[in-house]
Every structure is written in C-alpha cells, then in structure tokens.
C-alpha cells in the first residue's frame, strides 16, 4: 500500500483513554436518606411535646405537664431505638452485599 504522501506510514493517533467511571454509590445515598428521615422524625417528636396541655381531665397543670414530658421522652427513646435497629440492619445488609461481590 502506498500513501498519497509517499512512504509515510498510515497510522492514526489513538484517542486519549478516559478513566474508568466510578460505580454509583447508591447505598450511601439510601443510608443518608434514611438518616435524614429519622432526624426529621426525631425533631418533630421532640417539638410535639412542647406546648400547653389542653385535655388533662382531673389532673392539675403541673402533673399534666410532667405526664406530657414523660410521654415525649418515651416516644423519643423509641425513635432512637428504632433508628439504631435500622442502622444495624442496614450495616449488616451492606456487609453481606460487599462480601458477596468480592472476587
């Protein structure tokens, strides 16, 4: 084969190689989304306990406020326990996923 320019070799420069694309970090965003939801739930749970009690029945105001505070503390405690349980489950799920994808 001869080229129109004489004896120069026919070659094309190779295009620059792109670095391999990073895998999408779906689990990280799901984990952060769950954390955000629990944080919002916790803040609204704490905020719902403040205010003046309206329906106390036969209780006086101080006893009614104390009962409301105890109820808020129990609710916040349950949210925190559920949050911790969900985080442990997510962590175990992620570990199983990572170990199953190992070569």
């Amino acid at each position: 084969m001869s080229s129109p320019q004489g004896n120069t070799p026919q070659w094309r420069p190779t295009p620059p190689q792109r670095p391999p694309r990073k895998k999408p970090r779906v689990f990280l965003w799901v984990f952060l989304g769950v954390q955000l939801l629990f944080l919002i739930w916790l803040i609204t749970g704490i905020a719902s306990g403040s205010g003046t009690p309206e329906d106390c029945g036969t209780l006086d105001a101080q006893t009614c406020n104390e009962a409301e505070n105890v109820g808020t503390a129990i609710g916040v405690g349950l949210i925190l326990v559920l949050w911790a349980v969900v985080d442990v489950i997510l962590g175990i799920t992620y570990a199983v996923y990572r170990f199953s994808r190992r070569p």
Side-chain angles (χ1 to χ4, degrees), residues 4-60:
Q5 298 159 342
N7 289 336
T8 59
Q10 295 271 334
W11 65 276
R12 292 186 207 183
T14 59
Q17 297 293 324
R18 291 184 181 172
R21 290 183 57 179
K22 291 183 179 181
K23 293 181 182 178
R25 300 182 71 137
V26 175
F27 182 81
L28 174 68
W29 292 107
V30 169
F31 182 78
L32 291 176
V34 168
Q35 302 308 305
L36 182 65
L37 288 175
F38 270 107
L39 186 62
I40 291 170
W41 189 17
L42 185 68
I43 290 170
T44 56
I46 292 170
S48 70
S50 62
T52 59
E54 291 106 21
D55 188 23
C56 291
T58 59
L59 297 175
D60 61 349

Side-chain angles (χ1 to χ4, degrees), residues 74-96:
I74 291 171
V76 167
L78 288 174
I79 292 171
L80 289 174
V81 167
L82 184 62
W83 193 350
V85 168
V86 169
D87 280 349
V88 167
I89 291 171
L90 284 173
I92 291 171
T93 304
Y94 182 68
V96 167

